[in-house]
Amino acid sequence: MSYSVAVAGASGYAGGELLRLLSQHPEFRVTTVTAFQNAGHFLHEVQPHLRSYGQLVLQPTTPEVLSGHDLVFLALPHGTSGELTAHLGDDSLVVDCGADHRLSDAADWAAFYGGEYFGAWAYGVPELPSAGGKQRSALVGATRIAAPGCNASTVSLALAPGIAAGVIDERDLVAVLAVGPSGAGKSLKVENLASEILGSANPYAVGGSHRHIPEIQQALRLAGATAPTISFTPVIVPMARGILATSTARIAPGVSAADIRSAWESAYADEPFVHVLPEGKMPRTGDVLGSNTALIGLAVDEAAGRVVTITALDNLVKGTAGAAIQSANIALALDETSGLSIDGVAP
């Protein structure tokens, strides 16, 4: 069976990555692409690497243009997709790559985003440990899916197994991330100019102000936490894409190093896209470039009484577009891995 697909926000980084992956999907057929300022231009004029889409023209991003497709992916700025989705019929599966439908608490939305709250959809991190199993079960048959924030899903996948198994304390969680500037989108921002980031590591949203914090806490509550606290610090580094997250937690009393490794390995043993590396091995962002794979390295700092996880993923694939397609595959009862690769690109 072939599903007709529309991609809104096709001129941006997330939209372009969706289209790159969708071009290899055996069941999804992209028929419509939309944009705002670039409407009327050929897709290849703004995404010159997407040669397989031939003469596809970017159309205006309106409910009328997006309606009537089997599947709609939204790769739009925060606060934009919520207004559109209210006008899309229930006959379409809609996957939002923005933040508008990720948070289940309206107070969190008001505190970290502001503006109208549009309600929560099924959260698109299939591998996330949750009560009684995995978040995957919530995606089966879903018609509305919120793809995750890339930083949020990286940290959540890194820490959730320990929360679910009760081997780490949910308080005093710490995460420091090296991230590529593509995660901030394609819009011109002075702080993301090459002259600002080349040869420099630039922290931002320091001191509990980053918008992904409530999303991480929400995911950890799904895994069994009650009131998790986390210090979260992202740092822009000069690589176009990728996340390397160092996430640490206090070890629960009486828990051994073997217990900790067992918790993570058991959580992801059967997952096609989340892999726990052997003891002593740590991942690099280069190992996952272009893939839908998250690699997790695990260590125990006995002197500090903390578990240390190092997680690498491609923010545009596993962090955004790949997660969106993987979740859509599950919702439509397709092979979860369709159109997605576990292999990266090297060098």
Side-chain angles (χ1 to χ4, degrees), residues 38-125:
N38 288 301
H41 290 271
F42 288 110
L43 176 64
H44 63 72
E45 291 181 303
V46 294
Q47 302 282 21
H49 63 296
L50 298 176
R51 309 309 296 180
S52 64
Y53 289 98
Q55 299 300 301
L56 209 56
V57 174
L58 291 160
Q59 300 184 50
T61 304
T62 66
E64 293 76 21
V65 171
L66 296 173
S67 294
H69 297 82
D70 298 317
L71 177 54
V72 179
F73 289 100
L74 304 173
L76 302 171
H78 305 325
T80 305
S81 58
E83 299 174 2
L84 277 173
T85 54
H87 302 286
L88 297 178
D90 293 336
D91 55 338
S92 298
L93 168 58
V94 183
V95 183
D96 186 7
C97 293
D100 290 16
H101 300 285
R102 292 173 188 159
L103 298 181
S104 59
D105 190 331
D108 283 340
W109 177 266
F112 284 84
Y113 290 91
E116 184 177 355
Y117 175 64
F118 297 102
W121 291 355
Y123 190 53
V125 184

Side-chain angles (χ1 to χ4, degrees), residues 27 44 180 236 254 289 292:
E27 309 288 344
H44 63 72
I236 291 286
L289 183 68
N292 196 53

Side-chain angles (χ1 to χ4, degrees), residues 12-339:
Y13 287 139
E17 195 68 1
L18 277 165
L19 289 165
R20 183 181 73 85
L21 298 174
L22 289 167
S23 69
Q24 302 299 313
H25 199 291
E27 309 288 344
F28 295 162
R29 179 173 53 89
V30 177
T31 58
T32 302
V33 290
T34 80
F36 286 101
Q37 293 181 343
N38 288 301
H41 290 271
F42 288 110
L43 176 64
H44 63 72
E45 291 181 303
V46 294
Q47 302 282 21
H49 63 296
L50 298 176
R51 309 309 296 180
S52 64
Y53 289 98
Q55 299 300 301
L56 209 56
V57 174
L58 291 160
Q59 300 184 50
T61 304
T62 66
E64 293 76 21
V65 171
L66 296 173
S67 294
H69 297 82
D70 298 317
L71 177 54
V72 179
F73 289 100
L74 304 173
L76 302 171
H78 305 325
T80 305
S81 58
E83 299 174 2
L84 277 173
T85 54
H87 302 286
L88 297 178
D90 293 336
D91 55 338
S92 298
L93 168 58
V94 183
V95 183
D96 186 7
C97 293
D100 290 16
H101 300 285
R102 292 173 188 159
L103 298 181
S104 59
D105 190 331
D108 283 340
W109 177 266
F112 284 84
Y113 290 91
E116 184 177 355
Y117 175 64
F118 297 102
W121 291 355
Y123 190 53
V125 184
E127 303 91 350
L128 183 68
S130 62
K134 295 286 184 69
Q135 179 63 13
R136 179 178 287 105
S137 61
L139 297 169
V140 176
T143 60
R144 295 291 187 270
I145 296 171
C150 54
N151 295 321
S153 61
T154 307
V155 175
S156 299
L157 288 169
L159 294 175
I163 295 290
V167 299
I168 61 173
D169 194 326
E170 66 179 50
R171 299 161 297 172
D172 189 29
L173 303 171
V174 177
V176 179
L177 289 73
V179 303
S182 59
K186 206 172 184 177
S187 298
L188 179 63
K189 302 178 181 69
V190 171
E191 62 270 23
N192 289 337
L193 293 174
S195 55
E196 301 291 331
I197 66 171
L198 291 180
S200 180
N202 304 337
Y204 68 101
V206 178
S209 61
H210 197 283
R211 288 172 166 179
H212 285 178
I213 290 174
E215 186 180 340
I216 296 168
Q217 293 172 316
Q218 176 177 287
L220 296 181
R221 287 194 296 270
L222 285 173
T226 302
T229 61
I230 185 165
S231 175
F232 174 87
T233 306
V235 181
I236 291 286
V237 297
M239 58 184 181
R241 59 165 81 196
I243 296 174
L244 190 73
T246 302
S247 306
T248 77
R250 287 189 291 182
I251 300 169
V255 172
S256 68
D259 294 332
I260 289 169
R261 177 155 289 275
S262 176
W264 267 261
E265 290 183 345
S266 297
Y268 298 131
D270 299 321
E271 293 295 345
F273 296 121
V274 181
H275 304 159
V276 179
L277 298 182
E279 188 170 355
K281 299 293 184 180
M282 295 295 156
R284 309 172 304 166
T285 56
D287 300 331
V288 294
L289 183 68
S291 77
N292 196 53
T293 300
L295 297 180
I296 300 177
L298 193 63
V300 173
D301 185 338
E302 294 185 359
R306 300 185 75 88
V307 60
V308 180
T309 67
I310 309 291
T311 306
L313 57 74
D314 187 321
N315 59 292
L316 291 178
V317 189
K318 185 56 179 162
T320 307
I325 293 170
Q326 183 182 351
S327 298
N329 286 338
I330 294 168
L332 296 170
L334 302 175
D335 181 345
E336 184 173 334
T337 66
S338 288

